[in-house]
Amino acid sequence: MANGVFHTAYGIEINLTMPDLGHPGRPGLLEEVTTPIDRRERELLECLEHHGDGACQAEEDGRSPWMTIRRRTVGGRTVWVAAHLPVRHTPTPEESAKHQAMKERIARAAERHGHRAEIEARATDGRIRTDVLVTGDNGRRIGWEAQYSPITADTVRRRSRAAAEHGIVPLWVTDTDRSAVVERAPWARVDDFSWKEIASPLAMVVRAGVRHLQQWKCLPSSVRPCPVNGSSCGRFHAEWFLPALCLPAKAPTEVDQLVVASADGEFVPMRIPDQHDPRSVSRMWVPAVDRDRWHDMFGPDEDEDSPAEPGAGDAGITYTRQELDATCRYGEETFTFNDPRPRHGNSAGTGLHTFDEVPERLFTVPRQDRRLDATETQRREAALAHGCEPWQIGPCAGCGTPIRRYGDTGVHACEACRARTARR
């Protein structure tokens, strides 16, 4: 990763290790250079070595000499680094066909169940465009994004935040576990189908991105091994599992089903921070009843409504104040549009929380009013039918608890109070 870039508009060298980027007279420079690519000139920032020598190592590998600025955390320290942009990606005919087929499938599933669907829906202010906007009967709006071509994590975050600002819940669907959408916004992964299979009635199962809550006490007799020590710890565990790995197994969720359930609110997006590292989060779609149960145990996440991690900003950045290095560091870079390895969104369980005691509020049984409302006439008819005295509801003379009182016997105490009186 390079620690500097050349600003082609100002003709200046930028040192990313300095708080003022080496230009104290330009206070808005950081915000300008960290602006997402689609909101600034692509050729605004240039590799220093390319600017000086006319060529750099990235070009030899078919990469672009143009740069982007992003965060990089190493050893607990976060700094700004410059990374080469890839050559512009043009969707292949297959990617374009699959993208169109998925949009049409989502719209058909929504309309088949009475929901409204708009393909390529644009916001009134023109700021966002959604592949398919599905609106449920309750007004809940789900913005489906069919992502078959490579995309950057920053683009996923930015577009997800923009959707949320317009009252739209984003839902990204992809066919690869290396996509940048995984765990960075509400998402779902399906199999790699051809466009003809997507357009057909063939069932499309969501392979990852949808999970169910599992809770158990960790005992030697438990059917699950302890996720902490592999044996048993005697504590309670709560974790989110893929449907097939639940005990008992849950039915898989299909794409068409998720289209409807997300619009109805039966499935909702969740953001689960790691119990020991709140900066590490898992994102998933879950049944609303499981979400409510999780909230009962651990309370809602304060940032749960946030569809994606925050953007650039300057918070948490360490400035090392090094000399500007004009050497191209392309061989050391890790910046890619899609991740080189699968992310943990496909793992068996995620969002593990371990606790010692079940929260008392889970044992609270809502008070139910068991009083039987009956008119005087109905009580007399019942007494006549059963050969007993008419009854009415009245307070116990001892404790005030509502009880049935028969006739004018003078005994107006509940069984508990009568038993205490007898013991005396």
Side-chain angles (χ1 to χ4, degrees):
M1 294 287 181
N3 70 357
V5 292
F6 182 78
H7 196 296
T8 60
Y10 300 150
I12 59 176
E13 294 180 344
I14 294 175
N15 188 334
L16 298 172
T17 69
M18 305 293 290
D20 57 8
L21 305 184
H23 299 278
R26 297 181 181 273
L29 188 59
L30 176 63
E31 182 179 358
E32 180 181 343
V33 299
T34 55
T35 299
I37 299 299
D38 59 348
R39 286 162 44 194
R40 68 165 172 82
E41 289 294 330
R42 181 178 175 83
E43 300 178 3
L44 179 69
L45 305 177
E46 183 182 7
C47 172
L48 285 170
E49 185 170 321
H50 176 273
H51 175 73
D53 299 337
C56 65
Q57 298 178 46
E59 292 177 282
E60 297 176 3
D61 197 31
R63 302 283 288 190
S64 163
W66 312 115
M67 311 290 283
T68 185
I69 307 300
R70 69 182 187 94
R71 295 168 179 255
R72 187 185 188 191
T73 302
V74 178
R77 186 173 64 181
T78 303
V79 297
W80 293 120
V81 294
H84 282 269
L85 288 170
V87 176
R88 284 187 181 274
H89 176 84
T90 302
T92 65
E94 175 66 11
E95 288 173 346
S96 298
K98 290 165 68 174
H99 182 259
Q100 183 63 30
M102 179 59 81
K103 290 192 298 182
E104 293 174 355
R105 178 169 189 143
I106 293 168
R108 286 197 307 270
E111 292 172 348
R112 191 166 57 245
H113 290 82
H115 297 319
R116 185 159 58 93
E118 303 172 69
I119 296 179
E120 296 296 331
R122 286 186 176 273
T124 54
D125 59 6
R127 286 188 54 205
I128 66 168
R129 183 182 65 186
T130 306
D131 282 348
V132 186
L133 180 61
V134 177
T135 304
D137 293 337
N138 55 5
R140 184 179 179 86
R141 299 196 296 169
I142 308 297
W144 282 80
E145 300 289 349
Q147 198 60 44
Y148 285 99
S149 59
I151 190 171
T152 64
D154 284 342
T155 300
V156 173
R157 295 187 185 103
R158 177 184 55 77
R159 288 173 57 181
S160 297
R161 287 195 300 271
E165 290 170 359
H166 285 76
I168 298 172
V169 180
L171 199 168
W172 297 77
V173 60
T174 182
D175 64 351
T176 172
D177 52 14
R178 290 174 171 81
S179 175
V181 309
V182 176
E183 301 290 20
R184 292 192 172 99
W187 65 286
R189 182 180 68 79
V190 296
D191 289 330
D192 182 12
F193 287 117
S194 68
W195 73 266
K196 291 183 179 180
E197 291 172 318
I198 297 173
S200 74
L202 182 70
M204 291 186 68
V205 173
V206 176
R207 299 299 183 185
V210 171
R211 292 181 178 268
H212 296 262
L213 180 62
Q214 298 276 275
Q215 309 151 244
W216 72 100
K217 186 168 185 180
C218 195
L219 300 172
S221 58
S222 299
V223 292
R224 291 189 186 277
C226 178
V228 177
N229 61 25
S231 178
S232 61
C233 64
R235 306 174 73 192
F236 293 92
H237 301 298
E239 195 169 5
W240 298 90
F241 284 86
L242 298 173
L245 298 176
C246 292
L247 297 174
K250 304 284 187 180
T253 301
E254 297 182 8
V255 167
D256 294 6
Q257 177 188 355
L258 186 58
V259 171
V260 179
S262 59
D264 287 340
E266 295 178 8
F267 274 74
V268 294
M270 282 283 286
R271 176 187 182 277
I272 308 295
D274 186 276
Q275 187 176 19
H276 304 292
D277 181 10
R279 294 174 299 176
S280 176
V281 300
S282 298
R283 295 182 182 276
M284 64 198 78
W285 285 87
V286 306
V289 292
D290 285 358
R291 185 269 316 271
D292 295 342
R293 183 70 173 176
W294 181 271
H295 286 175
D296 285 341
M297 290 188 291
F298 307 112
D301 176 19
E302 294 180 358
D303 299 320
E304 190 168 303
D305 293 332
S306 172
E309 293 89 345
D314 195 24
I317 293 292
T318 299
Y319 292 97
T320 56
R321 302 176 184 271
Q322 299 173 346
E323 292 291 329
L324 188 62
D325 182 5
T327 304
C328 180
R329 302 291 181 182
Y330 173 70
E332 304 171 10
E333 293 179 7
T334 58
F335 179 80
T336 58
F337 262 53
N338 279 350
D339 295 333
R341 296 183 302 274
R343 290 170 63 85
H344 66 276
N346 303 303
S347 59
T350 191
L352 172 67
H353 276 49
T354 299
F355 48 102
D356 296 309
E357 299 290 341
V358 176
E360 290 186 6
R361 59 180 174 275
L362 296 185
F363 294 112
T364 302
V365 178
R367 183 179 181 276
Q368 298 181 353
D369 188 354
R370 297 179 178 274
R371 184 180 63 184
L372 176 63
D373 291 324
T375 65
E376 180 68 24
T377 300
Q378 290 172 327
R379 287 196 295 270
R380 291 188 179 279
E381 290 176 351
L384 181 62
H386 294 282
C388 62
E389 294 288 339
W391 56 267
Q392 61 182 357
I393 297 296
C396 167
C399 63
T401 301
I403 59 173
R404 292 184 183 183
R405 303 190 306 192
Y406 292 90
D408 191 20
T409 61
V411 180
H412 302 314
C414 65
E415 292 184 6
C417 290
R418 288 202 299 270
R420 283 196 297 269
T421 302
R423 286 196 296 270
R424 294 172 186 169

